[in-house]
Amino acid sequence: MSSEEMLYAQGAKIWVPHAELVWESATLEESYRKGAGFLKICTESGKLKEVKLKADGSDLPPLRNPAILVGQNDLTTLSYLHEPGVLHNLRVRFCERQIIYTYCGIILVAINPYAEMPLYGPSIIRAYRGHAMGDLEPHIFALAEEAYTKLERENCNLSIIVSGESGAGKTVSAKYAMRYFAAVGGSESETQVERKVLASSPIMEAFGNAKTTRNDNSSRFGKFTKLLFRNQMGVMFLQGATMHTYLLEKSRVVYQAQGERNYHIFYQLCAARSKYPELVLDHQDKFQFLSMGGAPEIERVSDAEQFNETVQAMTVLGFSIQQIADIVKILAGILHLGNITVSKKFNEGSEEEDTDSCDIFHNDIHLQITGDLLRVSAEDLRRWLLMRKIESVNEYVLIPNSIEAAQAARDALAKHIYAKLFQYIVGVLNKSLNNGSKQCSFIGVLDIYGFETFEVNSFEQFCINYANEKLQQQFNQHVFKLEQEEYLKEGITWTMIDFYDNQPCIDLIESRLGVLDLLDEECRMPKGSDESWAGKLIGKCSKFPHFEKPRFGSTSFFIKHFSDTVEYDVNGFLEKNRDTVSKELTQVLSESNMSLVKQVMTLEEIDTLSVDSAKSSTLGGRVVISAGRKQQGNDTRRRVVPSKQHRKTVGSQFQESLSSLISTLHATTPHYVRCIKPNDDKVAFKWETAKIIQQLRACGVLETVRISAAGFPSRWLYPDFYMRYQLLVYRSKLDKNDMKLSCRNIVIKWIQDEDKYRFGNTQIFFRAGQVAFLEQVRANLRKKYITIVQSVVRRFIYRRQFLRIQLVINGIQRHSRGFLARQRVQKMREARAGLILSKYARGWLCRRRYLRLRHSIFGIQTYARGMLARSKFHAMRDHYRAVQIQRFVRGALARRAYQKRRRNIIICQAAIRRFLARRKFKRMKAEAKTISHMENKYMGLENKIISMQQRIDELNRDNSNLKHKTSEISVLKMKLELKKTLEAEFKNVKAACQDKDKLIEALNKQLEAERDEKMQLLEENGHAQEEWLSQKQTWRQENEELRRQIDEIIDMAKNAEVSQRNQEDRMLAEIDNRELNEAYQRAIKDKEVIENENYMLKEELSRLTAGSFSLHGRKASNASSQNEDDVGYASGKNTLDINRPPDLLSKNYSYNDSTSLVVKLRAILEEEKQKHKNLQEQYIKLASRHKPTEDSFRPACCLAGRGP
């Protein structure tokens, strides 16, 4: 199976073209086979399609990158480097993760989020300081840190080139880059330099930025800012800056398209007109130069506040108050100049219009205001707006201007004044930013316009795209150079990479008989026009492959730029290229009484990038003045530009300046920032694929990707490659100590073509798609291994289920057979029991007649005696309970009174102690402020702590000894009471023994008299004895059953008591007051009573069971020892004496009837349970009544701490 067939297997993800989305994801429904003419796919929207293929498979659709590579920080690390892969990676990062920065090799791609992002604070600057690119997330600060680190390490010149279309965020990116350099290159003694560098941005934005349909703050000029650094002890410090500007859009001063604005400074000045009443300004809609676009406002921007920031920044950068006042006068003069009305002129003596001339009223208010503001003669200004002077060989000829010519002269003068003013402001900025010290090295930040294409493209778009062609050529050469250096550093063999060279397109523009050359030639022609120039272009430039003539008409032409083919409209090319202004009007301004106007109109025009930095340069309204040159105050030091230099075209000047810029960039190490505009609606994080892909093609990102893809784009460090792909070979071919050899074994096994990879010194280089192939192999192997593991696990699970079912079936069979056997035995047992029952039934009938009679007699006696005993017991119990209730009530009332009185006493004590404590606190607070008090306070503190700890230990030991002795005293008291009770019982027993001895002697005499009678009854007694033995056996069984039941009842009672005791222990742990402890002790004593009663019941039952029974009743001798085993706690004995009347214990019961015995025992047990329940309820009520709260617990704790 070929690698294509493995990669294009069923289920593989691919990209297919789409009309709206540009690229759409799809899944293969069938695997690809070599030679197949189509592919069956299912798109992401669920549609089934067939994609036609060539027989050789050269047009296979691009594959999607593996999931592990989606969202990578660097686009060049993608396995498949193609347009849809780059686009998808950017979309995932921007839309899903909201990350606006992404690397593409040496390029930083920045997508404008149209939202505030917390990414540029001081903490972020500190986070990126000292980290190389790639260590952290992509960021403009990471690129700036890379440049600054290279500056420190190699002491070389560097540059950062920021490009992109209008609204992409170029100005903001350049601003943040300069902010980073100002932050990391500053020091405490140079904070003023940093402030000046950062303050230059609002000034340049006010005078050089404007609102367009694409951007609210679009830079309408190119800017190359040099940040100058000096080396001090190996550390680069920012010492100043210089600024170079290119191609200021002067036409915007006099014309704006619909939805656009003039430069910000005009609107800011109108918003702050109340501060300058001498300017005679009005609302911006009243001025011709400001109302053309119909969009004077910008959302969420206050022009008045922006004007204050601009003035403040100008103050920081050294503009004096007089200079600022003169600048605003010149700006106001430009606005009033635009409002000068040029009217029709009629021939003298008739109403016929003179089309060759025009007129301006002498009392035109705006003409007068313009003259006053600029300090020039309003009449001279009017004269040369209406007339022009043509110079011949020996004389001058005055020719009147038409309305159109006069308006053009007015607009040209306004553009010329603003361009010169812009030039002057840049010069002052450079003078303020550079302190004149010797330059060591610099970092240049180039903020230049990106590739532009509109419905109508004119001279400005032509120059912008020409500059981008030159920058793209420099970029391609630099990228190619870095790619080859990387291969040489890793020591791998390589072949020359073919990359797109746009030199033919540049030759079309700047070569002999090229576009610019023909344009300059046509400008020198007396009757040159845009149409004749277009004809020359079609005739001379058709030989160039990048030039196309239009199908219809001859007023446009096409140029195939590196990113797109652009159609240029020739209308206005010659006029914009000439950029002429009347020499007489400039002479009027040069004679102004305002020094700033005179100084501005006589500035020199010298290119600064190709000569020494001490010179100044201008570029048809674009100026660079070196900070090293000091402005001379004497007008004789200035050189007035002769008239011939006014004929120097804008195109030739821009070509020279651009060549100087490219030379400067070639002499530096460049870094690139490509800004992308995601949508035209300025909606946050909205993604428009068609617009973004066009910008990626235009800014060179895809060209970088193509150059990388032509070589070895995928690169893995040996440890990373080993950790991820070690499962692709057997363990015997792996060696952790030699990862390079292990990686070689992995690659050689799966990639047979040696041209698909290279082994470098530290990395492995792969051609495009090879990493994805290894990912596919890895995924297949993992799938295979996972399937094996799953099969083993499933076998284990199902075998365990089988063994469990088998065990259950065997158990069911075993129990079933046992059940049948037991059922059979039960039947046999029941048959035998039936015979036995029939035998005993006859005997039982006879016995029943006898027992019924005896039971009746015993029953009458039993119930009579029981009724008497119960009545007496109830009377005693009621008396006892009444006494207990009275005791508890009196105790509660006494405790309540005691607690109330104690609480009052505590309150009084607390008030007094609080008073004393406050007085002592004030005294101590006063003493604490003295040093001697602090010394005394901490003197000997350690010894006091040790002595206090020893004292606490001694108290704890004494407390434990006292507790132990207290427990011993209670035990000794109980033993003493028990001994006294035993002595009383012993006396009673001794007296009873004497009475019984006398009774025994009487009985012996009676026995001798009755002996003869008993001998006769021996035979009858023998038969009765046999019946008694059988009855005794039956009673014994019933007694055992009763004993078992009583044991169960006793166990239940003990369990209830244990649970109750645990609950009481928890409550006692939470409640720490004396009254509740006493209640708990009383409850414990009551429970001991219940335990002793249970114990006595068991003893009584054992005596009843073990005693001998007679047919007629128990004799007196059988009850003589009833108190011999009555030992234990005195509380148990007293409780029995209270709850059981003496006559109840001394009565002779008949124990022949087991039923009556069970009833009596159960009655006694129920009484004990009822008593236990009453005690428990009484305890709960007492505990709930005395449940402590936070307020009641504090005084108790205080009393416990102070003692009684």
Side-chain angles (χ1 to χ4, degrees), residues 138-159:
H139 200 285
I140 186 68
F141 291 164
L143 188 76
E145 172 63 22
E146 182 75 12
Y148 185 77
T149 303
K150 190 175 183 66
L151 177 71
E152 285 186 322
R153 185 173 59 249
E154 301 180 11
N155 198 17
C156 62
N157 298 328
L158 298 102
S159 60

Coordinates of all heavy atoms in Angstrom, one line a residue, residues 138-159:
P138 N 2.6 33.6 21.2 CA 3.0 34.6 20.3 C 2.4 36.0 20.7 O 1.3 36.1 21.2 CB 2.3 34.2 19.0 CG 2.2 32.7 19.1 CD 1.9 32.5 20.6
H139 N 3.3 37.0 20.5 CA 2.9 38.4 21.0 C 3.8 39.4 20.3 O 4.9 39.0 19.9 CB 3.0 38.5 22.5 CG 2.2 39.6 23.1 ND1 2.6 40.9 23.0 CD2 1.1 39.6 23.8 CE1 1.8 41.7 23.7 NE2 0.8 40.9 24.1
I140 N 3.3 40.6 20.1 CA 4.2 41.7 19.6 C 5.3 41.9 20.5 O 6.4 42.3 20.1 CB 3.3 42.9 19.3 CG1 4.1 44.0 18.6 CG2 2.8 43.4 20.7 CD1 4.5 43.7 17.2
F141 N 5.1 41.7 21.8 CA 6.2 41.9 22.8 C 7.3 40.8 22.6 O 8.5 41.1 22.9 CB 5.7 41.9 24.2 CG 4.9 43.1 24.6 CD1 4.0 43.0 25.7 CD2 4.9 44.2 23.8 CE1 3.2 44.2 26.0 CE2 4.1 45.3 24.1 CZ 3.3 45.3 25.2
A142 N 6.9 39.6 22.2 CA 7.9 38.5 22.0 C 8.8 38.9 20.8 O 10.0 38.7 20.9 CB 7.2 37.2 21.8
L143 N 8.2 39.4 19.8 CA 9.0 39.8 18.6 C 9.9 41.0 19.0 O 11.1 41.0 18.6 CB 8.0 40.2 17.5 CG 8.7 40.5 16.1 CD1 9.1 39.3 15.5 CD2 7.8 41.3 15.2
A144 N 9.4 42.0 19.7 CA 10.2 43.1 20.2 C 11.3 42.6 21.1 O 12.5 43.1 21.0 CB 9.3 44.1 20.9
E145 N 11.1 41.7 22.0 CA 12.1 41.1 22.9 C 13.2 40.4 22.1 O 14.4 40.5 22.4 CB 11.5 40.2 23.9 CG 12.4 39.4 24.7 CD 13.3 40.3 25.6 OE1 12.9 41.5 25.9 OE2 14.4 39.9 26.0
E146 N 12.8 39.7 21.0 CA 13.8 39.0 20.2 C 14.7 40.1 19.5 O 15.9 39.9 19.5 CB 13.0 38.2 19.1 CG 13.9 37.4 18.1 CD 14.5 36.2 18.8 OE1 14.1 35.8 19.9 OE2 15.4 35.6 18.2
A147 N 14.1 41.2 19.0 CA 14.9 42.2 18.4 C 15.9 42.9 19.4 O 17.1 43.1 19.2 CB 14.0 43.2 17.7
Y148 N 15.3 43.2 20.6 CA 16.1 43.8 21.6 C 17.2 42.9 22.1 O 18.4 43.4 22.4 CB 15.2 44.3 22.8 CG 15.9 45.1 23.8 CD1 16.2 46.4 23.6 CD2 16.3 44.5 25.0 CE1 16.9 47.2 24.6 CE2 17.0 45.3 26.0 CZ 17.2 46.6 25.8 OH 17.9 47.3 26.7
T149 N 17.0 41.6 22.3 CA 18.0 40.7 22.7 C 19.1 40.6 21.7 O 20.3 40.6 22.0 CB 17.4 39.3 23.0 OG1 16.3 39.5 23.9 CG2 18.4 38.3 23.5
K150 N 18.7 40.5 20.4 CA 19.8 40.5 19.4 C 20.6 41.8 19.3 O 21.8 41.8 19.1 CB 19.1 40.3 18.0 CG 20.0 40.0 16.9 CD 19.3 39.7 15.6 CE 20.2 39.3 14.5 NZ 21.0 38.0 14.7
L151 N 19.9 42.9 19.6 CA 20.6 44.2 19.7 C 21.7 44.2 20.8 O 22.8 44.6 20.7 CB 19.6 45.3 19.9 CG 20.2 46.7 20.1 CD1 20.7 47.2 18.7 CD2 19.1 47.7 20.6
E152 N 21.3 43.6 22.0 CA 22.2 43.6 23.1 C 23.3 42.6 22.8 O 24.5 42.8 23.2 CB 21.5 43.2 24.4 CG 20.6 44.2 25.0 CD 20.0 43.8 26.3 OE1 19.6 42.6 26.4 OE2 19.9 44.6 27.2
R153 N 23.0 41.5 22.2 CA 24.0 40.4 22.0 C 25.0 40.7 20.9 O 26.2 40.5 21.1 CB 23.3 39.1 21.8 CG 24.2 37.9 21.7 CD 23.4 36.6 21.5 NE 22.5 36.6 20.4 CZ 21.2 36.6 20.5 NH1 20.6 36.7 21.6 NH2 20.4 36.6 19.4
E154 N 24.5 41.2 19.8 CA 25.3 41.4 18.6 C 25.6 42.9 18.3 O 26.4 43.1 17.4 CB 24.7 40.7 17.4 CG 24.4 39.3 17.6 CD 23.7 38.6 16.4 OE1 23.7 39.3 15.3 OE2 23.3 37.5 16.5
N155 N 25.0 43.8 19.0 CA 25.2 45.2 18.8 C 25.1 45.6 17.3 O 25.9 46.3 16.7 CB 26.6 45.6 19.3 CG 26.7 47.1 19.5 OD1 25.7 47.8 19.6 ND2 28.0 47.6 19.6
C156 N 24.0 45.1 16.7 CA 23.8 45.4 15.3 C 22.4 46.1 15.1 O 21.7 46.2 16.0 CB 23.7 44.1 14.5 SG 22.4 43.0 15.0
N157 N 22.2 46.7 13.9 CA 21.0 47.4 13.6 C 19.9 46.4 13.2 O 20.1 45.4 12.5 CB 21.2 48.4 12.5 CG 22.2 49.4 12.8 OD1 22.3 49.8 14.0 ND2 23.0 49.9 11.9
L158 N 18.7 46.7 13.7 CA 17.5 45.8 13.4 C 16.4 46.7 13.0 O 16.3 47.9 13.1 CB 17.1 45.0 14.7 CG 18.2 44.0 15.2 CD1 18.8 44.7 16.4 CD2 17.6 42.7 15.6
S159 N 15.4 46.0 12.4 CA 14.2 46.7 12.0 C 13.0 45.8 12.1 O 13.1 44.5 12.1 CB 14.3 47.1 10.5 OG 14.5 45.9 9.7

